[in-house]
Every structure is written in structure tokens, then in C-alpha cells.
Amino acid sequence: MMGRKRTMEDDNDSFQSTKKKLKMNNSKNLIEVNGDRSKLPIQMLTEEELVELIERRKAAMEKPKIYLTLKDLAEEYRKRMSKISENDVTEETCPPLFALDLQCLILNAIEGSISSYYPRWCKLLRQSKITSIVVMVINGVSLSDVLSNEDCFSYLTTNLPMHIEITPPLQYESSFEKEIFRVRLSESQWAAKIRDTKYSYEKPFKKVNEITNKADSRKLSKFVPEDPVDKFDRRLLLLNVIDMIQDGYPLPLLRDGMYNSFKFTKDKYMKLTANSPMFAVDCEMCATRYGRELSRIAVVNEKFEVLMDKLVKPRNDIIDYKTRFSGITEEMLRNVATRLEDVQKEFQQIIPADAILIGHSFCNDLIAMRMFHPYVIDTSVIYNLGKKNYKSGLSTLTRYFLKKHIQISLNGHSPVEDAIATMELALLKLRTGVDFGDMLSGCTVTSFNLSEQVGSQETSGNSKTITDGKSVYFNPTDDQLTQTLFDILNKVNKTNVVIGRDNSFPIEVIKGANVVTVDNDADCVKKAKKLIKKKQFVWLSLEDCVEERKLLKKKSYKKDKFRQIDGQIQKIAASCQPRSLFIPVFSGKTKKGQILNSGAYVHIT
């Protein structure tokens, strides 16, 4: 049957008619949107409203956006911690955040889509649209001060509600300036550094470390070069604190006391050198009513001498021996008297103060040992088989790179065998080249000798610098392995200014910065307001609350001071260019011997 063709006018008439019917049938819905008609279905909007909605969405796409991902982070943390904690870990429990987490956000905003730094606690969209980054540090004030005096911080809490709690750098004798201005080299940067004269060796660098144990050493796998020469500095394979945080390593700075029972592997640590010895560690665990607990541990040195191989009896009742994997049976542990505390004490005596520990997904072993250690090489990180965000198992890596099979016994794993394989993988990479084992960057399984031996031999000697357990995690092992934030800003042609007291900023971390000194906070805010429009990165540091801490003991003075700070935050926010990332930071403080928390607010202007 023939009919007339539909025209554009017919479609439009039909659309308008349908839209009128929808409006009539949904009069209740029109009331529920509270005046915001953009929430209505598109069919119910007028042509003018539809055009306006499209324009608004286009404008939104031109603006950067930031949102928190703390819920996802808390869920991951809960799953991990429920395996090791005797206490209940709620869904709201979030892992501790550090100044370095804030650094990741700043670096991600600076470098944009090319950045290798990604904050784990938030998402930043459309970084290229950010016009400037403004960080305002209020020293001598804690996040608790803000949250308990919201009436004094009315502008901040009303207009910048998005905030996070941060472990205070004061806990490990540092500052936000030191933590954020000093940036560890990215993987690609340190790979290039390895080819520099300081980190590559033309002549034999170092014979295998001499260990007091004189037992017969195990012969190297035929796939590990026999010449005991590191092609590059082994310190470059170490995990940094961000790696440790992201991979769930136990850190000694948790505010919730999750690791209260953990001990340090040494009372004091020496600064690492290129000669620092390596020890491979592997643990087997059984399941108890409180989670997984240590049941066997093996420690191997670079000569493959077994320094420790002990069965350990958990103090809590075992509900599953995990024999298929652990190799542990009820009979094996029946007459064992060794406890976790005995192993911890012996382990502390075995390793030196500059020991580098090697393991595969080693966070699990340290958690089983209930110990902290700052110098770690993780073979699950330094090797990959070309799958992004995926870690291969130890047996898989051993099969691919060492051409041998482990963990094939039906009676369970041997920690000695696993520790030896882990040490072999580490030595293979050190003696072959930095690119070896990194298939994401194009290395093949059989590509040997990828690094050219260039430059002259340089060693650091035996450092006698002693550092306490907490601060060693946040101190770089070598200043040559870091750069400053301002080096990065200059590389991407972004202007910067740092404003504060003359003694606010350590000289070693402000290389490349344009520093403006002031006498007081009022002057700092005044100068910042003028420079914010001209610079792409602005850092201002307020110090009045540190200098006036005695006066702040008076409640009325403290209230007035907090209102003044809130006003200063408002002035800086108003001076920011549109689409700026504005970050007020409260440094935390010491009160009656207790260090109170830090915090940061994040906002796109």
C-alpha cells in the first residue's frame, strides 16, 4: 500500500505532540525536580531548554573535574587487612594517606595524560584543562582543629567540602615541602639514569657479598651470568614508599594501630650503598582463626647459602594447614617450640643494617613475619610478561626466565626453593640489564645483555649514616635518584613561584623554584594574590600559627585566628584563575606530645 512520505515537519509535529502528552502525564515529576528541569527526560524539555542543556554539557567538558575514590580504596583495604587483623575492619576504614599521595595528584595535574603518577584516592579528569595549581599550606594547624571549629571555617567547609586526612610528616621528622618538592624518578627516568656513568659499570663492580656462613654455596642457574657483576646499581630496583603503599606493604605510620604488634627488622638502619647485601626471604602460612600466620620461613643470601629454614608454631588455633601450598602438616608442627617472636629475634641478628630484602609479592611475607623493612626488591614488580596491571606468579617467572620448574610437588611449596628462585631472578636482572624481564617495554624472554656497559666504576663506599625505623621509609637512598618538583615544572614549561618565610624551604628541594620571601602571613597572602594570575604553579606557606602557638592556647585568640585563616583561604580562592586546582593543606601539629593529623582540601575553581 502506498502512502505519503513522512517529512521533517511531520516528525517535528509528532515529537511536539508526544512531548505535550508526556508533560501532562508527568506533572508530578515536574514538581519533584525542584526547579532543575535539566533532570527531566530529554523528551520533556523544550527546544530552548534542550539547547541550553547541550551548551551546559559542552561547558562542563571544558572544565577539569576531581572526585574522591575513598570508598573503593577502603574496600580494597578491608579485604586485605581482614586477613591479618584480629580486630574487625569496617567498610568505612580507609588506609592511611601520606603527603606523597598528595604529591601524586599534583604531578598528575602538572603532567596530564603523559603522567606516570596516579593518585590512588581520587580521580582527576581533563587535566589539560587545568589553568594553574595553587597549594596553600597552613602550618601549625591540624585537620582536627578545622573539623572541631567549623563555625570558624565557614567558607572552607561550605565551599570546599572535599577533603582527606593525611598522616602528618611530623611523625617522621619531615614536612610537606620536603615530601612534595622531592620527587623520585619514574621508571623510565631511572632506566635512562642507569645508562649514566654513575649507575652503569664498565669493569666488574662487585663480587658476591661475603657472608660469615662458610657453607658450600649453591651453583647459579645456567641462565644467570656467572660473572658476579651488577650491570647497574641495585638500589634502582628498590620499591619506593608509594609502591609499598599501593601494594599493601606494612608501614609503621598507621593511625589506627593496625600494625601495633609489628617490629622493625633492625633498631636502626644504615643508608644504602651500591654494595649493600641482598637476602631472599620466603614464608609459608597456615590459616588460623585470626587469619594467616607464619608456619615456616627460609632466608637465603647471594651465595645461595641457607641462613634460616625454620618451622614456626602459630599461637592461635590452626583451622587449615594449607598443605597443598604451604607443605605444612599437623605432624610437622606437633613438637615445634619455635614461635614468631623467636624468628623475629633471630632474623634481626642475621641481617645487617643495610640489608636489601628480596621476595615475590613480599608484602605478604612481611605481614606474616609481623615486621617492617624499608629496603625491598619485589620480583613481582621488576618482572612482567607483558600484561598491564597483572603480576605473574613466581613459578611462572621462574619457568620463563630461569627455564626451570618449581612448586610442582603435590606435598606443597618449599620456601627454600622459592627463596633461591627469587634470588636468581634478582641476580639475573642485575647481571643482564635493566630492560630484561620487562616485556611491557618490548623485552623478549630470550633477550640477554640488553644493557651496554658504559662509563666508569663508582662506588658509594660504606655509609655510616644511621636512620631510625620510621623516617627511613621517607628518606631517599640516593639524592641522585630523585628530582625536584620544579625540575618537572620547568620541563613542561610551566611557571612557578614559592612564597614563604626565608627559612621555610630546605635548599635541597627548591632547586629550580622561584622563591619569594615574606615576613608574615598577611604579606604572604598579599603577594600570592598578585602572582596567582601570572603563574601556573603557586605554593604559599603560612607560619603564623607556628610562631604564635603559645597565644593560640587562649580560646578566644584561637577562634579569631581560625576565622582569619578562613578569610585568607577565601581570598586566595577568589584570586585563582578559573579551572584552577586549589589545595589548602593543614600541616598537623604536636600537642602534649601527641602528633595531630594533617589534612588537605581539594577544589576546582
Side-chain angles (χ1 to χ4, degrees), residues 63-68 105 121 124 130 132-134 155-156 158-163 569 573-574 576-577 579-584 600-605:
K63 186 176 181 180
K65 181 180 179 180
I66 187 169
Y67 61 91
L68 302 181
L105 171 62
W121 55 277
L124 181 61
I130 293 175
S132 67
I133 302 164
V134 179
Y155 173 82
L156 176 67
T158 302
N159 295 279
L160 285 73
M162 199 181 303
H163 69 275
I569 292 172
C576 288
Q577 304 175 53
R579 305 194 306 275
S580 291
L581 175 60
F582 179 41
I583 310 175
Y601 287 72
V602 290
H603 180 66
I604 302 292
T605 60

Side-chain angles (χ1 to χ4, degrees), residues 19-27 30 37 44 46:
K19 189 159 64 174
K20 287 178 181 178
K21 290 179 182 178
L22 285 170
K23 286 183 178 179
M24 292 174 65
N25 295 332
N26 291 277
S27 57
L30 292 176
R37 291 178 55 81
M44 299 178 66
T46 65

Side-chain angles (χ1 to χ4, degrees), residues 137-196:
V137 181
I138 300 97
N139 290 294
V141 181
S142 69
L143 180 62
S144 300
D145 287 329
V146 178
L147 299 180
S148 60
N149 294 277
E150 289 191 353
D151 57 319
C152 300
F153 291 97
S154 58
Y155 173 82
L156 176 67
T157 55
T158 302
N159 295 279
L160 285 73
M162 199 181 303
H163 69 275
I164 57 169
E165 183 179 356
I166 297 175
T167 301
L170 288 170
Q171 276 200 19
Y172 42 94
E173 299 177 354
S174 189
S175 66
F176 275 94
E177 286 78 13
K178 286 182 180 179
E179 293 300 294
I180 292 178
F181 291 173
R182 183 170 51 199
V183 182
R184 186 179 171 93
L185 298 181
S186 67
E187 289 186 13
S188 59
Q189 289 168 332
W190 68 246
K193 195 81 169 179
I194 287 171
R195 296 175 175 85
D196 196 0

Side-chain angles (χ1 to χ4, degrees), residues 74-75 77-79 82 87-94 258:
E75 176 60 19
Y77 183 68
R78 184 189 66 79
K79 289 178 180 178
S82 62
N87 305 315
D88 291 333
V89 184
T90 66
E91 292 183 2
E92 292 76 24
T93 303
C94 190
M258 191 67 71

Side-chain angles (χ1 to χ4, degrees), residues 183-201 231-237 434-435 451-456 458 478-484 487 491 511:
V183 182
R184 186 179 171 93
L185 298 181
S186 67
E187 289 186 13
S188 59
Q189 289 168 332
W190 68 246
K193 195 81 169 179
I194 287 171
R195 296 175 175 85
D196 196 0
T197 56
K198 180 176 174 61
Y199 294 97
S200 290
Y201 310 112
K231 292 289 186 66
F232 57 90
D233 194 317
R234 57 185 55 185
R235 291 173 293 178
L236 294 169
L237 295 181
V434 65
D435 298 318
S451 285
E452 296 181 3
Q453 296 176 327
V454 296
S456 58
E458 287 188 38
D478 191 333
D479 290 338
Q480 296 297 322
L481 306 186
T482 63
Q483 57 189 326
T484 71
D487 291 333
K491 286 176 185 176
K511 176 187 173 185

Side-chain angles (χ1 to χ4, degrees), residues 222-458:
K222 64 178 181 178
F223 288 95
V224 179
E226 293 183 4
D227 190 13
V229 179
D230 287 355
K231 292 289 186 66
F232 57 90
D233 194 317
R234 57 185 55 185
R235 291 173 293 178
L236 294 169
L237 295 181
L238 293 173
L239 295 180
N240 60 35
V241 72
I242 289 295
D243 298 326
M244 289 185 170
I245 290 169
Q246 292 177 341
D247 283 357
Y249 275 78
L251 292 176
L253 300 169
L254 293 188
R255 64 179 183 276
D256 54 13
M258 191 67 71
Y259 297 124
N260 275 348
S261 63
F262 281 49
K263 298 179 180 179
F264 287 97
T265 53
K266 303 296 289 187
D267 293 331
K268 298 286 184 180
Y269 294 93
M270 293 175 63
K271 188 172 181 179
L272 290 187
T273 72
N275 294 321
S276 294
M278 301 189 302
F279 300 84
V281 183
D282 190 80
C283 297
E284 302 298 339
M285 286 78 83
C286 291
T288 73
R289 59 194 179 96
Y290 284 127
R292 294 190 300 173
E293 294 191 49
L294 182 67
S295 54
R296 187 179 176 186
I297 180 173
V299 182
V300 175
N301 64 23
E302 290 179 60
K303 295 175 69 175
F304 300 98
E305 297 164 342
V306 180
L307 307 184
M308 181 190 289
D309 181 17
K310 285 187 177 293
L311 291 170
V312 186
K313 193 165 189 175
R315 290 196 177 276
N316 297 304
D317 294 337
I318 297 174
I319 59 176
D320 188 349
Y321 285 88
K322 303 284 185 184
T323 305
R324 171 65 184 86
F325 302 101
S326 69
I328 304 299
T329 64
E330 181 179 5
E331 178 64 26
M332 290 173 67
L333 293 181
R334 179 168 290 127
N335 297 318
V336 173
T338 303
R339 297 289 191 178
L340 175 64
E341 298 79 10
D342 302 318
V343 169
Q344 290 173 330
K345 185 175 181 180
E346 184 175 346
F347 189 81
Q348 289 170 328
Q349 295 171 345
I350 286 176
I351 66 169
D354 65 337
I356 298 172
L357 299 186
I358 305 172
H360 190 83
S361 295
F362 191 52
C363 55
N364 299 318
D365 301 272
L366 282 174
I367 289 171
M369 294 165 66
R370 296 292 197 270
M371 301 192 87
F372 303 116
H373 190 77
Y375 308 135
V376 171
I377 295 174
D378 193 325
T379 50
S380 73
V381 174
I382 64 174
Y383 281 89
N384 67 75
L385 294 178
K387 295 182 180 180
K388 209 167 186 178
N389 301 320
Y390 177 81
K391 293 183 177 180
S392 298
L394 179 61
S395 61
T396 302
L397 295 179
T398 302
R399 186 171 68 253
Y400 268 77
F401 296 102
L402 298 175
K403 308 300 181 187
K404 70 176 187 179
H405 296 274
I406 64 170
Q407 301 178 351
I408 57 176
S409 172
L410 296 178
N411 296 323
H413 300 175
S414 163
V416 173
E417 180 184 56
D418 290 354
I420 287 171
T422 304
M423 179 62 76
E424 285 184 319
L425 285 169
L427 291 175
L428 176 59
K429 190 174 185 78
L430 284 169
R431 297 177 184 182
T432 304
V434 65
D435 298 318
F436 181 78
D438 183 5
M439 297 177 70
L440 283 171
S441 65
C443 165
T444 61
V445 175
T446 56
S447 295
F448 291 97
N449 299 317
L450 295 178
S451 285
E452 296 181 3
Q453 296 176 327
V454 296
S456 58
Q457 176 186 357
E458 287 188 38

